Amino acid sequence: MKKSYYLFNPGRMSRTDNTLRFDPVDADGKGLPPKYLPIEGIDNLYVFGSVDANSAMYNFLGKSGVSVHFFDYYEHYTGSFYPKEYLLAGKMQIQQTKAYLSSKKRMSIATALVEGASFNMLKNLRYYDNRGRSLEGHIGDIERYRASLDAAKDVPELMGLEGNCRQTYYDAFAEIIAASGFEMGGRVKNPPSNEVNALISFGNSLCYTVALDAIYHTQLNPTISFLHEPGARRYSLALDLAEVFKPILVDRTIFSVLNKKQLKASDFDFSMKGCLLKDAGRKTFLQAFEEKLNETIKHRTLNRTVSYKYLVRLECYKLAKYVMGLEEAYKPFKIWW
C-alpha cells in the first residue's frame, strides 16, 4: 500500500534507479544517513524543511504520480507540486464549469457542502455532550443556523451561515478539551495565537492537501469550486471538500491528542510571532493524523471496509456524478457512527 512521507530535515532529494533518495542534514548542517524510498510505495510527500531537488527529480515524481506538498517555517501550506492530471477530461471540465455558472446548480452543491460540514460538527458536539460536557447551547445555536440554509439566497449568505456555525463550534472547544490543560480562546489564524489555534491551522492545511490528492485521482478540475470562489493560485475545490471533512479528520485528531495528553506545552514554540509546533510536537500530531486517515469503517452503501482517506475520494466521485447529470442530487458525507 502506498504511504505518505514527511520530510522534516533539510537535505536533498535525488533518484537512484526506481528509488527516491533523501540525504538529510541536521540543524548544524552535518550529513545524516540517507533514506531510500521505493517510488512505487510513495503516495505523496510533505516537505517541512528546505529540500533541494533538480528538474529531473520532479520529472521522476511527476511520471510516478507523486504529489509534493510544501510548508514554510511557520507551518503554513505554501503550495504543491501537482503531477499532470492523468484523468482530466474535457467533457467533465465543461459540465463542471456549467454547474458553477448555473446559480441553481451551484447553490445546490454549496448548500449541500455547508449542510454536510455543519452536520459533522454537530456530530462531534453531540458525542461529547453525551459524555458529560455541557454543549446543549452550542448544539441549539448550530441547529438554528442549519435551519436557515435552504432559505439562503446566494453563496455569500451561505458562507455567512457556515461561518456562524463554525464560530459557535469553535466556542465549544473549551468545554471539550477542558481537562487537557490547554485553552483555545477565540479562533485566531494569522498567526495562531496559542497551541489549539496552531493545531487547527496546521490540521486544516493537511486536510486541504488530502482533498487535493483525492481530486487528482478523479476527472474533477480542482480550480472550479462551488462554495469558495475560484481564484488565482489556489485549488478552491479542495477548500470546498475540506469543509466537510475537517470535523472528522482534523478536529477529532486534535481532541484525541489533547485529551490523551500526547502533546505538552513544551511541544509548542512562542519565540517567533504567534505559536508554532516544534518538530517533536509536529511529528506526534502527524502520526495521529495519519492513523486517523488509515482508520477504516464498514461503508453502508458499498458494503465493504474503506479508510477515512478513501471517504474523501468517494466524495469526489459523488460530486462528479452529480455534475455529469448521473445523479439527481449531490448528498454530502455525514458521519453515521
Side-chain angles (χ1 to χ4, degrees), residues 171-186:
D171 288 343
F173 276 32
E175 186 70 22
I176 294 172
I177 62 170
S180 70
F182 292 97
E183 295 182 359
M184 177 177 172

Side-chain angles (χ1 to χ4, degrees), residues 32 40 67 93 123 146 209 217 221 255 265:
L32 299 171
E40 299 87 353
S67 298
Q93 178 131 341
K123 195 74 173 181
R146 280 169 50 80
T209 65
H217 293 289
N221 187 305
F255 301 152

